[in-house]
Amino acid sequence: DTGVSQDPRHKITKRGQNVTFRCDPISEHNRLYWYRQTLGQGPEFLTYFQNEAQLEKSRLLSDRFSAERPKGSFSTLEIQRTEQGDSAMYLCASSRTSGRGDTQYFGPGTRLTVL
Amino acid sequence: AQSVAQPEDQVNVAEGNPLTVKCTYSVSGNPYLFWYVQYPNRGLQFLLKYITGDNLVKGSYGFEAEFNKSQTSFHLKKPSALVSDSALYFCAVRDLDQAGTALIFGKGTTLSVSS
């Protein structure tokens, strides 16, 4: 399998701009996750898709954040009206349903810097 | 609520010596436990997991972890450290008896192996 890929790897934007990130999961993985990681912290869960359905959303996912997985393959995460507090590494992970014990495999992340 | 504690921000060890990175967890149900490693500006790489069965779990790159239910711990170990093991290590937990798939991560422990 090729791994999880994310694009872009780095994004610098000005406060108030909109940004969109893309994640391509491992092929045939039906589950896809988004996490956010800030400096000195572990990843924090944002949202989860099973196929094209968004089944879980964290309270961290404010109204300015939206995620889609239209065909159950790749996913996009959009942040509208970016704020400096949005600066972080955005990580995507994917897994294949396996009873109760699936393993999440992570992509390299997109580092967002909001000026 | 689910939580993970990694009590040491940094662990220093000499090459060739055994290493231990500590992790304790809190869940109301049965835990599903992971260790991931992160190299600078990279995503997380899966090392090993525990779901059930033998309390000693073996993973990638010679790492192993011991699940201790009574102490709610899942410490990562390696008999002989390598300089290349220097990285940031994250412990994560999911409560198998709760709905939801999100992993809860600790803050991470930086492992530094000196030659």
Side-chain angles (χ1 to χ4, degrees):
Chain A
D1 287 334
T2 56
V4 177
S5 61
Q6 293 186 245
D7 183 72
R9 295 291 305 275
H10 303 274
K11 179 70 176 180
I12 300 174
T13 191
K14 293 182 179 179
R15 189 176 53 188
Q17 298 294 305
N18 299 343
V19 294
T20 300
F21 309 142
R22 176 179 170 125
C23 171
D24 287 88
I26 294 171
S27 59
E28 298 181 358
H29 277 194
N30 60 332
R31 292 180 164 181
L32 188 145
Y33 312 79
W34 286 98
Y35 290 82
R36 181 172 70 185
Q37 184 180 18
T38 54
L39 198 62
Q41 301 295 321
E44 296 173 295
F45 171 75
L46 292 177
T47 191
Y48 152 66
F49 290 84
Q50 179 150 315
N51 301 313
E52 66 276 8
Q54 188 174 19
L55 298 183
E56 286 180 62
K57 287 197 288 187
S58 161
R59 284 173 290 182
L60 291 176
L61 209 67
S62 76
D63 292 343
R64 296 184 297 106
F65 287 68
S66 62
E68 294 183 342
R69 194 183 183 198
K71 297 183 179 180
S73 57
F74 72 92
S75 175
T76 58
L77 177 68
E78 181 182 17
I79 309 174
Q80 296 182 329
R81 305 180 304 281
T82 53
E83 301 173 356
Q84 288 186 327
D86 297 331
S87 295
M89 175 80 89
Y90 290 84
L91 295 166
C92 176
S94 70
S95 70
R96 180 165 47 199
T97 307
S98 175
R100 303 164 75 196
D102 57 316
T103 298
Q104 297 179 27
Y105 294 93
F106 284 79
T110 294
R111 182 169 295 282
L112 173 66
T113 302
V114 182
L115 302 176
Chain B
Q2 306 169 54
S3 66
V4 173
Q6 293 183 241
E8 301 154 317
D9 289 337
Q10 181 147 346
V11 170
N12 299 310
V13 64
E15 188 174 32
N17 284 357
L19 70 88
T20 298
V21 182
K22 296 180 180 177
C23 171
T24 58
Y25 66 90
S26 175
V27 296
S28 55
N30 289 300
Y32 183 24
L33 293 153
F34 294 83
W35 277 100
Y36 285 87
V37 60
Q38 187 174 36
Y39 295 96
N41 298 313
R42 303 279 295 277
L44 277 68
Q45 294 181 27
F46 169 72
L47 279 180
L48 51 79
K49 67 182 180 183
Y50 171 84
I51 182 169
T52 188
D54 193 346
N55 289 342
L56 185 64
V57 178
K58 294 189 182 296
S60 306
Y61 313 118
F63 284 93
E64 57 190 27
E66 186 168 12
F67 171 66
N68 187 316
K69 187 173 183 178
S70 63
Q71 297 186 0
T72 61
S73 67
F74 189 57
H75 300 330
L76 181 69
K77 299 181 180 183
K78 188 173 183 181
S80 178
L82 300 173
V83 172
S84 58
D85 292 330
S86 298
L88 182 57
Y89 290 81
F90 289 99
C91 181
V93 70
R94 181 182 142 203
D95 187 337
L96 287 172
D97 297 328
Q98 299 292 321
T101 62
L103 292 178
I104 306 302
F105 285 85
K107 290 187 175 183
T109 298
T110 298
L111 174 65
S112 179
V113 182
S114 57
S115 58

PDB file of all heavy atoms in Angstrom, chain B residues 24-58:
ATOM      1  N   THR B  24       0.499   6.101  31.263  1.00  0.00           N
ATOM      2  CA  THR B  24      -0.641   5.609  32.028  1.00  0.00           C
ATOM      3  C   THR B  24      -1.911   6.150  31.384  1.00  0.00           C
ATOM      4  O   THR B  24      -1.894   7.188  30.724  1.00  0.00           O
ATOM      5  CB  THR B  24      -0.588   6.032  33.502  1.00  0.00           C
ATOM      6  OG1 THR B  24      -0.535   7.457  33.582  1.00  0.00           O
ATOM      7  CG2 THR B  24       0.623   5.438  34.200  1.00  0.00           C
ATOM      8  N   TYR B  25      -2.995   5.428  31.560  1.00  0.00           N
ATOM      9  CA  TYR B  25      -4.229   5.786  30.866  1.00  0.00           C
ATOM     10  C   TYR B  25      -5.409   5.722  31.817  1.00  0.00           C
ATOM     11  O   TYR B  25      -5.330   5.106  32.894  1.00  0.00           O
ATOM     12  CB  TYR B  25      -4.453   4.850  29.677  1.00  0.00           C
ATOM     13  CG  TYR B  25      -4.709   3.421  30.117  1.00  0.00           C
ATOM     14  CD1 TYR B  25      -6.001   2.973  30.366  1.00  0.00           C
ATOM     15  CD2 TYR B  25      -3.650   2.536  30.303  1.00  0.00           C
ATOM     16  CE1 TYR B  25      -6.231   1.681  30.804  1.00  0.00           C
ATOM     17  CE2 TYR B  25      -3.875   1.253  30.748  1.00  0.00           C
ATOM     18  CZ  TYR B  25      -5.160   0.822  30.997  1.00  0.00           C
ATOM     19  OH  TYR B  25      -5.386  -0.447  31.435  1.00  0.00           O
ATOM     20  N   SER B  26      -6.499   6.318  31.390  1.00  0.00           N
ATOM     21  CA  SER B  26      -7.746   6.242  32.144  1.00  0.00           C
ATOM     22  C   SER B  26      -8.903   6.101  31.163  1.00  0.00           C
ATOM     23  O   SER B  26      -9.094   6.972  30.297  1.00  0.00           O
ATOM     24  CB  SER B  26      -7.932   7.505  33.000  1.00  0.00           C
ATOM     25  OG  SER B  26      -9.187   7.488  33.643  1.00  0.00           O
ATOM     26  N   VAL B  27      -9.620   4.993  31.262  1.00  0.00           N
ATOM     27  CA  VAL B  27     -10.839   4.777  30.480  1.00  0.00           C
ATOM     28  C   VAL B  27     -11.842   4.082  31.391  1.00  0.00           C
ATOM     29  O   VAL B  27     -11.458   3.425  32.352  1.00  0.00           O
ATOM     30  CB  VAL B  27     -10.602   3.921  29.218  1.00  0.00           C
ATOM     31  CG1 VAL B  27      -9.681   4.606  28.242  1.00  0.00           C
ATOM     32  CG2 VAL B  27     -10.076   2.539  29.577  1.00  0.00           C
ATOM     33  N   SER B  28     -13.109   4.187  31.071  1.00  0.00           N
ATOM     34  CA  SER B  28     -14.126   3.548  31.894  1.00  0.00           C
ATOM     35  C   SER B  28     -14.348   2.099  31.477  1.00  0.00           C
ATOM     36  O   SER B  28     -14.780   1.278  32.286  1.00  0.00           O
ATOM     37  CB  SER B  28     -15.445   4.319  31.814  1.00  0.00           C
ATOM     38  OG  SER B  28     -15.848   4.453  30.473  1.00  0.00           O
ATOM     39  N   GLY B  29     -14.018   1.779  30.233  1.00  0.00           N
ATOM     40  CA  GLY B  29     -14.217   0.433  29.729  1.00  0.00           C
ATOM     41  C   GLY B  29     -12.896  -0.255  29.456  1.00  0.00           C
ATOM     42  O   GLY B  29     -11.902  -0.024  30.139  1.00  0.00           O
ATOM     43  N   ASN B  30     -12.872  -1.086  28.438  1.00  0.00           N
ATOM     44  CA  ASN B  30     -11.649  -1.798  28.069  1.00  0.00           C
ATOM     45  C   ASN B  30     -10.798  -0.941  27.136  1.00  0.00           C
ATOM     46  O   ASN B  30     -11.303  -0.393  26.170  1.00  0.00           O
ATOM     47  CB  ASN B  30     -12.001  -3.115  27.376  1.00  0.00           C
ATOM     48  CG  ASN B  30     -12.591  -4.113  28.355  1.00  0.00           C
ATOM     49  OD1 ASN B  30     -11.947  -4.488  29.326  1.00  0.00           O
ATOM     50  ND2 ASN B  30     -13.828  -4.523  28.116  1.00  0.00           N
ATOM     51  N   PRO B  31      -9.502  -0.866  27.422  1.00  0.00           N
ATOM     52  CA  PRO B  31      -8.652   0.027  26.623  1.00  0.00           C
ATOM     53  C   PRO B  31      -8.109  -0.625  25.363  1.00  0.00           C
ATOM     54  O   PRO B  31      -7.858  -1.828  25.325  1.00  0.00           O
ATOM     55  CB  PRO B  31      -7.498   0.326  27.583  1.00  0.00           C
ATOM     56  CG  PRO B  31      -7.356  -0.954  28.358  1.00  0.00           C
ATOM     57  CD  PRO B  31      -8.766  -1.476  28.528  1.00  0.00           C
ATOM     58  N   TYR B  32      -7.951   0.187  24.362  1.00  0.00           N
ATOM     59  CA  TYR B  32      -7.260  -0.179  23.125  1.00  0.00           C
ATOM     60  C   TYR B  32      -6.097   0.807  23.065  1.00  0.00           C
ATOM     61  O   TYR B  32      -6.317   2.009  22.967  1.00  0.00           O
ATOM     62  CB  TYR B  32      -8.227  -0.019  21.966  1.00  0.00           C
ATOM     63  CG  TYR B  32      -7.752  -0.416  20.584  1.00  0.00           C
ATOM     64  CD1 TYR B  32      -6.728  -1.333  20.390  1.00  0.00           C
ATOM     65  CD2 TYR B  32      -8.373   0.124  19.470  1.00  0.00           C
ATOM     66  CE1 TYR B  32      -6.324  -1.694  19.126  1.00  0.00           C
ATOM     67  CE2 TYR B  32      -7.973  -0.238  18.194  1.00  0.00           C
ATOM     68  CZ  TYR B  32      -6.957  -1.144  18.017  1.00  0.00           C
ATOM     69  OH  TYR B  32      -6.569  -1.502  16.765  1.00  0.00           O
ATOM     70  N   LEU B  33      -4.867   0.313  23.176  1.00  0.00           N
ATOM     71  CA  LEU B  33      -3.701   1.161  23.419  1.00  0.00           C
ATOM     72  C   LEU B  33      -2.720   1.116  22.264  1.00  0.00           C
ATOM     73  O   LEU B  33      -2.513   0.064  21.657  1.00  0.00           O
ATOM     74  CB  LEU B  33      -2.999   0.708  24.702  1.00  0.00           C
ATOM     75  CG  LEU B  33      -3.808   0.941  25.981  1.00  0.00           C
ATOM     76  CD1 LEU B  33      -3.415  -0.059  27.051  1.00  0.00           C
ATOM     77  CD2 LEU B  33      -3.621   2.361  26.467  1.00  0.00           C
ATOM     78  N   PHE B  34      -2.100   2.259  21.995  1.00  0.00           N
ATOM     79  CA  PHE B  34      -1.169   2.396  20.881  1.00  0.00           C
ATOM     80  C   PHE B  34       0.082   3.156  21.325  1.00  0.00           C
ATOM     81  O   PHE B  34       0.040   3.989  22.226  1.00  0.00           O
ATOM     82  CB  PHE B  34      -1.787   3.240  19.752  1.00  0.00           C
ATOM     83  CG  PHE B  34      -2.957   2.640  19.071  1.00  0.00           C
ATOM     84  CD1 PHE B  34      -4.219   2.768  19.618  1.00  0.00           C
ATOM     85  CD2 PHE B  34      -2.812   1.973  17.872  1.00  0.00           C
ATOM     86  CE1 PHE B  34      -5.322   2.229  18.981  1.00  0.00           C
ATOM     87  CE2 PHE B  34      -3.902   1.435  17.219  1.00  0.00           C
ATOM     88  CZ  PHE B  34      -5.157   1.568  17.772  1.00  0.00           C
ATOM     89  N   TRP B  35       1.171   2.893  20.597  1.00  0.00           N
ATOM     90  CA  TRP B  35       2.327   3.763  20.604  1.00  0.00           C
ATOM     91  C   TRP B  35       2.623   4.185  19.167  1.00  0.00           C
ATOM     92  O   TRP B  35       2.618   3.343  18.241  1.00  0.00           O
ATOM     93  CB  TRP B  35       3.560   3.082  21.192  1.00  0.00           C
ATOM     94  CG  TRP B  35       3.618   3.126  22.683  1.00  0.00           C
ATOM     95  CD1 TRP B  35       3.288   2.141  23.560  1.00  0.00           C
ATOM     96  CD2 TRP B  35       4.054   4.237  23.489  1.00  0.00           C
ATOM     97  NE1 TRP B  35       3.484   2.561  24.848  1.00  0.00           N
ATOM     98  CE2 TRP B  35       3.953   3.841  24.828  1.00  0.00           C
ATOM     99  CE3 TRP B  35       4.532   5.515  23.194  1.00  0.00           C
ATOM    100  CZ2 TRP B  35       4.309   4.679  25.896  1.00  0.00           C
ATOM    101  CZ3 TRP B  35       4.874   6.345  24.238  1.00  0.00           C
ATOM    102  CH2 TRP B  35       4.770   5.927  25.575  1.00  0.00           C
ATOM    103  N   TYR B  36       2.880   5.491  19.008  1.00  0.00           N
ATOM    104  CA  TYR B  36       3.289   6.056  17.732  1.00  0.00           C
ATOM    105  C   TYR B  36       4.589   6.819  17.952  1.00  0.00           C
ATOM    106  O   TYR B  36       4.856   7.318  19.046  1.00  0.00           O
ATOM    107  CB  TYR B  36       2.248   7.040  17.203  1.00  0.00           C
ATOM    108  CG  TYR B  36       0.987   6.418  16.640  1.00  0.00           C
ATOM    109  CD1 TYR B  36      -0.084   6.123  17.481  1.00  0.00           C
ATOM    110  CD2 TYR B  36       0.856   6.151  15.285  1.00  0.00           C
ATOM    111  CE1 TYR B  36      -1.249   5.571  16.975  1.00  0.00           C
ATOM    112  CE2 TYR B  36      -0.309   5.602  14.765  1.00  0.00           C
ATOM    113  CZ  TYR B  36      -1.351   5.316  15.617  1.00  0.00           C
ATOM    114  OH  TYR B  36      -2.509   4.763  15.106  1.00  0.00           O
ATOM    115  N   VAL B  37       5.383   6.952  16.882  1.00  0.00           N
ATOM    116  CA  VAL B  37       6.616   7.723  16.921  1.00  0.00           C
ATOM    117  C   VAL B  37       6.537   8.817  15.850  1.00  0.00           C
ATOM    118  O   VAL B  37       5.973   8.612  14.779  1.00  0.00           O
ATOM    119  CB  VAL B  37       7.861   6.839  16.704  1.00  0.00           C
ATOM    120  CG1 VAL B  37       7.830   6.129  15.354  1.00  0.00           C
ATOM    121  CG2 VAL B  37       9.148   7.652  16.834  1.00  0.00           C
ATOM    122  N   GLN B  38       7.070   9.994  16.191  1.00  0.00           N
ATOM    123  CA  GLN B  38       7.057  11.114  15.255  1.00  0.00           C
ATOM    124  C   GLN B  38       8.458  11.690  15.121  1.00  0.00           C
ATOM    125  O   GLN B  38       9.071  12.100  16.108  1.00  0.00           O
ATOM    126  CB  GLN B  38       6.092  12.201  15.735  1.00  0.00           C
ATOM    127  CG  GLN B  38       5.883  13.330  14.756  1.00  0.00           C
ATOM    128  CD  GLN B  38       4.823  14.308  15.212  1.00  0.00           C
ATOM    129  OE1 GLN B  38       4.690  14.595  16.399  1.00  0.00           O
ATOM    130  NE2 GLN B  38       4.038  14.829  14.274  1.00  0.00           N
ATOM    131  N   TYR B  39       8.938  11.735  13.881  1.00  0.00           N
ATOM    132  CA  TYR B  39      10.212  12.381  13.586  1.00  0.00           C
ATOM    133  C   TYR B  39       9.940  13.822  13.173  1.00  0.00           C
ATOM    134  O   TYR B  39       8.824  14.140  12.752  1.00  0.00           O
ATOM    135  CB  TYR B  39      10.951  11.594  12.511  1.00  0.00           C
ATOM    136  CG  TYR B  39      11.338  10.208  12.977  1.00  0.00           C
ATOM    137  CD1 TYR B  39      10.549   9.099  12.682  1.00  0.00           C
ATOM    138  CD2 TYR B  39      12.470  10.015  13.764  1.00  0.00           C
ATOM    139  CE1 TYR B  39      10.881   7.840  13.147  1.00  0.00           C
ATOM    140  CE2 TYR B  39      12.810   8.751  14.225  1.00  0.00           C
ATOM    141  CZ  TYR B  39      12.009   7.678  13.915  1.00  0.00           C
ATOM    142  OH  TYR B  39      12.337   6.437  14.391  1.00  0.00           O
ATOM    143  N   PRO B  40      10.937  14.705  13.268  1.00  0.00           N
ATOM    144  CA  PRO B  40      10.709  16.133  12.992  1.00  0.00           C
ATOM    145  C   PRO B  40      10.009  16.383  11.663  1.00  0.00           C
ATOM    146  O   PRO B  40      10.392  15.817  10.638  1.00  0.00           O
ATOM    147  CB  PRO B  40      12.125  16.710  13.006  1.00  0.00           C
ATOM    148  CG  PRO B  40      12.870  15.819  13.934  1.00  0.00           C
ATOM    149  CD  PRO B  40      12.322  14.438  13.694  1.00  0.00           C
ATOM    150  N   ASN B  41       8.975  17.209  11.720  1.00  0.00           N
ATOM    151  CA  ASN B  41       8.221  17.615  10.525  1.00  0.00           C
ATOM    152  C   ASN B  41       7.630  16.436   9.762  1.00  0.00           C
ATOM    153  O   ASN B  41       7.470  16.494   8.544  1.00  0.00           O
ATOM    154  CB  ASN B  41       9.106  18.446   9.594  1.00  0.00           C
ATOM    155  CG  ASN B  41       9.573  19.728  10.258  1.00  0.00           C
ATOM    156  OD1 ASN B  41       8.777  20.440  10.870  1.00  0.00           O
ATOM    157  ND2 ASN B  41      10.862  19.988  10.186  1.00  0.00           N
ATOM    158  N   ARG B  42       7.317  15.378  10.484  1.00  0.00           N
ATOM    159  CA  ARG B  42       6.716  14.199   9.865  1.00  0.00           C
ATOM    160  C   ARG B  42       5.432  13.842  10.598  1.00  0.00           C
ATOM    161  O   ARG B  42       5.167  14.296  11.710  1.00  0.00           O
ATOM    162  CB  ARG B  42       7.682  13.016   9.962  1.00  0.00           C
ATOM    163  CG  ARG B  42       9.055  13.270   9.319  1.00  0.00           C
ATOM    164  CD  ARG B  42       9.013  13.086   7.832  1.00  0.00           C
ATOM    165  NE  ARG B  42       8.736  11.717   7.440  1.00  0.00           N
ATOM    166  CZ  ARG B  42       9.656  10.766   7.370  1.00  0.00           C
ATOM    167  NH1 ARG B  42      10.907  11.025   7.672  1.00  0.00           N
ATOM    168  NH2 ARG B  42       9.313   9.549   6.984  1.00  0.00           N
ATOM    169  N   GLY B  43       4.637  13.001   9.978  1.00  0.00           N
ATOM    170  CA  GLY B  43       3.451  12.486  10.630  1.00  0.00           C
ATOM    171  C   GLY B  43       3.810  11.409  11.637  1.00  0.00           C
ATOM    172  O   GLY B  43       4.985  11.145  11.890  1.00  0.00           O
ATOM    173  N   LEU B  44       2.810  10.784  12.186  1.00  0.00           N
ATOM    174  CA  LEU B  44       3.027   9.743  13.191  1.00  0.00           C
ATOM    175  C   LEU B  44       3.171   8.381  12.519  1.00  0.00           C
ATOM    176  O   LEU B  44       2.404   8.038  11.620  1.00  0.00           O
ATOM    177  CB  LEU B  44       1.844   9.691  14.159  1.00  0.00           C
ATOM    178  CG  LEU B  44       1.833  10.686  15.302  1.00  0.00           C
ATOM    179  CD1 LEU B  44       1.642  12.108  14.796  1.00  0.00           C
ATOM    180  CD2 LEU B  44       0.755  10.341  16.312  1.00  0.00           C
ATOM    181  N   GLN B  45       4.124   7.622  12.994  1.00  0.00           N
ATOM    182  CA  GLN B  45       4.308   6.253  12.506  1.00  0.00           C
ATOM    183  C   GLN B  45       3.862   5.274  13.575  1.00  0.00           C
ATOM    184  O   GLN B  45       4.263   5.392  14.733  1.00  0.00           O
ATOM    185  CB  GLN B  45       5.778   5.999  12.170  1.00  0.00           C
ATOM    186  CG  GLN B  45       6.306   6.803  11.005  1.00  0.00           C
ATOM    187  CD  GLN B  45       7.756   6.462  10.735  1.00  0.00           C
ATOM    188  OE1 GLN B  45       8.228   5.374  11.025  1.00  0.00           O
ATOM    189  NE2 GLN B  45       8.474   7.411  10.160  1.00  0.00           N
ATOM    190  N   PHE B  46       3.056   4.313  13.189  1.00  0.00           N
ATOM    191  CA  PHE B  46       2.552   3.297  14.106  1.00  0.00           C
ATOM    192  C   PHE B  46       3.680   2.362  14.538  1.00  0.00           C
ATOM    193  O   PHE B  46       4.455   1.883  13.707  1.00  0.00           O
ATOM    194  CB  PHE B  46       1.453   2.506  13.396  1.00  0.00           C
ATOM    195  CG  PHE B  46       1.021   1.267  14.099  1.00  0.00           C
ATOM    196  CD1 PHE B  46       0.270   1.327  15.250  1.00  0.00           C
ATOM    197  CD2 PHE B  46       1.356   0.013  13.598  1.00  0.00           C
ATOM    198  CE1 PHE B  46      -0.133   0.176  15.897  1.00  0.00           C
ATOM    199  CE2 PHE B  46       0.947  -1.144  14.222  1.00  0.00           C
ATOM    200  CZ  PHE B  46       0.206  -1.070  15.382  1.00  0.00           C
ATOM    201  N   LEU B  47       3.786   2.131  15.856  1.00  0.00           N
ATOM    202  CA  LEU B  47       4.792   1.205  16.390  1.00  0.00           C
ATOM    203  C   LEU B  47       4.173  -0.117  16.823  1.00  0.00           C
ATOM    204  O   LEU B  47       4.664  -1.181  16.468  1.00  0.00           O
ATOM    205  CB  LEU B  47       5.496   1.823  17.599  1.00  0.00           C
ATOM    206  CG  LEU B  47       6.618   2.820  17.354  1.00  0.00           C
ATOM    207  CD1 LEU B  47       7.164   3.301  18.686  1.00  0.00           C
ATOM    208  CD2 LEU B  47       7.723   2.196  16.509  1.00  0.00           C
ATOM    209  N   LEU B  48       3.134  -0.032  17.666  1.00  0.00           N
ATOM    210  CA  LEU B  48       2.521  -1.247  18.178  1.00  0.00           C
ATOM    211  C   LEU B  48       1.194  -0.916  18.836  1.00  0.00           C
ATOM    212  O   LEU B  48       0.893   0.257  19.079  1.00  0.00           O
ATOM    213  CB  LEU B  48       3.440  -1.964  19.173  1.00  0.00           C
ATOM    214  CG  LEU B  48       4.029  -1.142  20.313  1.00  0.00           C
ATOM    215  CD1 LEU B  48       3.050  -0.926  21.442  1.00  0.00           C
ATOM    216  CD2 LEU B  48       5.299  -1.826  20.852  1.00  0.00           C
ATOM    217  N   LYS B  49       0.411  -1.971  19.111  1.00  0.00           N
ATOM    218  CA  LYS B  49      -0.883  -1.781  19.748  1.00  0.00           C
ATOM    219  C   LYS B  49      -1.212  -2.965  20.640  1.00  0.00           C
ATOM    220  O   LYS B  49      -0.702  -4.076  20.455  1.00  0.00           O
ATOM    221  CB  LYS B  49      -1.992  -1.610  18.698  1.00  0.00           C
ATOM    222  CG  LYS B  49      -2.256  -2.870  17.880  1.00  0.00           C
ATOM    223  CD  LYS B  49      -3.334  -2.627  16.836  1.00  0.00           C
ATOM    224  CE  LYS B  49      -3.606  -3.888  16.022  1.00  0.00           C
ATOM    225  NZ  LYS B  49      -4.601  -3.648  14.940  1.00  0.00           N
ATOM    226  N   TYR B  50      -2.079  -2.702  21.623  1.00  0.00           N
ATOM    227  CA  TYR B  50      -2.627  -3.740  22.482  1.00  0.00           C
ATOM    228  C   TYR B  50      -4.147  -3.636  22.442  1.00  0.00           C
ATOM    229  O   TYR B  50      -4.709  -2.556  22.642  1.00  0.00           O
ATOM    230  CB  TYR B  50      -2.156  -3.576  23.929  1.00  0.00           C
ATOM    231  CG  TYR B  50      -2.879  -4.508  24.870  1.00  0.00           C
ATOM    232  CD1 TYR B  50      -2.455  -5.819  25.041  1.00  0.00           C
ATOM    233  CD2 TYR B  50      -4.034  -4.098  25.548  1.00  0.00           C
ATOM    234  CE1 TYR B  50      -3.145  -6.689  25.862  1.00  0.00           C
ATOM    235  CE2 TYR B  50      -4.732  -4.959  26.381  1.00  0.00           C
ATOM    236  CZ  TYR B  50      -4.282  -6.245  26.531  1.00  0.00           C
ATOM    237  OH  TYR B  50      -4.976  -7.108  27.342  1.00  0.00           O
ATOM    238  N   ILE B  51      -4.798  -4.785  22.192  1.00  0.00           N
ATOM    239  CA  ILE B  51      -6.254  -4.816  22.293  1.00  0.00           C
ATOM    240  C   ILE B  51      -6.701  -5.897  23.265  1.00  0.00           C
ATOM    241  O   ILE B  51      -7.594  -5.676  24.081  1.00  0.00           O
ATOM    242  CB  ILE B  51      -6.930  -4.967  20.911  1.00  0.00           C
ATOM    243  CG1 ILE B  51      -8.450  -4.956  21.044  1.00  0.00           C
ATOM    244  CG2 ILE B  51      -6.466  -6.226  20.197  1.00  0.00           C
ATOM    245  CD1 ILE B  51      -9.168  -4.835  19.718  1.00  0.00           C
ATOM    246  N   THR B  52      -6.063  -7.043  23.212  1.00  0.00           N
ATOM    247  CA  THR B  52      -6.404  -8.125  24.113  1.00  0.00           C
ATOM    248  C   THR B  52      -5.312  -9.175  24.009  1.00  0.00           C
ATOM    249  O   THR B  52      -4.460  -9.109  23.133  1.00  0.00           O
ATOM    250  CB  THR B  52      -7.775  -8.733  23.764  1.00  0.00           C
ATOM    251  OG1 THR B  52      -8.145  -9.664  24.788  1.00  0.00           O
ATOM    252  CG2 THR B  52      -7.730  -9.473  22.448  1.00  0.00           C
ATOM    253  N   GLY B  53      -5.306 -10.120  24.941  1.00  0.00           N
ATOM    254  CA  GLY B  53      -4.351 -11.210  24.831  1.00  0.00           C
ATOM    255  C   GLY B  53      -3.114 -10.992  25.669  1.00  0.00           C
ATOM    256  O   GLY B  53      -3.167 -10.416  26.760  1.00  0.00           O
ATOM    257  N   ASP B  54      -1.970 -11.413  25.150  1.00  0.00           N
ATOM    258  CA  ASP B  54      -0.696 -11.352  25.856  1.00  0.00           C
ATOM    259  C   ASP B  54      -0.386  -9.920  26.273  1.00  0.00           C
ATOM    260  O   ASP B  54      -0.482  -8.996  25.463  1.00  0.00           O
ATOM    261  CB  ASP B  54       0.405 -11.885  24.945  1.00  0.00           C
ATOM    262  CG  ASP B  54       1.692 -12.163  25.688  1.00  0.00           C
ATOM    263  OD1 ASP B  54       1.835 -11.714  26.848  1.00  0.00           O
ATOM    264  OD2 ASP B  54       2.570 -12.825  25.113  1.00  0.00           O
ATOM    265  N   ASN B  55       0.002  -9.757  27.527  1.00  0.00           N
ATOM    266  CA  ASN B  55       0.265  -8.408  28.030  1.00  0.00           C
ATOM    267  C   ASN B  55       1.525  -7.786  27.437  1.00  0.00           C
ATOM    268  O   ASN B  55       1.697  -6.566  27.491  1.00  0.00           O
ATOM    269  CB  ASN B  55       0.382  -8.423  29.556  1.00  0.00           C
ATOM    270  CG  ASN B  55      -0.955  -8.674  30.219  1.00  0.00           C
ATOM    271  OD1 ASN B  55      -2.009  -8.518  29.594  1.00  0.00           O
ATOM    272  ND2 ASN B  55      -0.933  -9.055  31.474  1.00  0.00           N
ATOM    273  N   LEU B  56       2.428  -8.582  26.903  1.00  0.00           N
ATOM    274  CA  LEU B  56       3.645  -8.067  26.276  1.00  0.00           C
ATOM    275  C   LEU B  56       3.431  -8.056  24.769  1.00  0.00           C
ATOM    276  O   LEU B  56       3.239  -9.095  24.147  1.00  0.00           O
ATOM    277  CB  LEU B  56       4.855  -8.927  26.647  1.00  0.00           C
ATOM    278  CG  LEU B  56       6.202  -8.414  26.148  1.00  0.00           C
ATOM    279  CD1 LEU B  56       6.536  -7.062  26.789  1.00  0.00           C
ATOM    280  CD2 LEU B  56       7.305  -9.425  26.434  1.00  0.00           C
ATOM    281  N   VAL B  57       3.483  -6.868  24.204  1.00  0.00           N
ATOM    282  CA  VAL B  57       3.224  -6.690  22.780  1.00  0.00           C
ATOM    283  C   VAL B  57       4.533  -6.312  22.094  1.00  0.00           C
ATOM    284  O   VAL B  57       5.242  -5.417  22.562  1.00  0.00           O
ATOM    285  CB  VAL B  57       2.195  -5.571  22.554  1.00  0.00           C
ATOM    286  CG1 VAL B  57       1.960  -5.361  21.077  1.00  0.00           C
ATOM    287  CG2 VAL B  57       0.897  -5.892  23.275  1.00  0.00           C
ATOM    288  N   LYS B  58       4.830  -6.963  21.007  1.00  0.00           N
ATOM    289  CA  LYS B  58       6.039  -6.631  20.237  1.00  0.00           C
ATOM    290  C   LYS B  58       5.640  -5.836  18.994  1.00  0.00           C
ATOM    291  O   LYS B  58       4.611  -6.102  18.367  1.00  0.00           O
ATOM    292  CB  LYS B  58       6.778  -7.901  19.854  1.00  0.00           C
ATOM    293  CG  LYS B  58       7.330  -8.639  21.070  1.00  0.00           C
ATOM    294  CD  LYS B  58       8.244  -9.776  20.674  1.00  0.00           C
ATOM    295  CE  LYS B  58       8.759 -10.536  21.900  1.00  0.00           C
ATOM    296  NZ  LYS B  58       9.595  -9.673  22.770  1.00  0.00           N
TER     297      LYS B  58
END
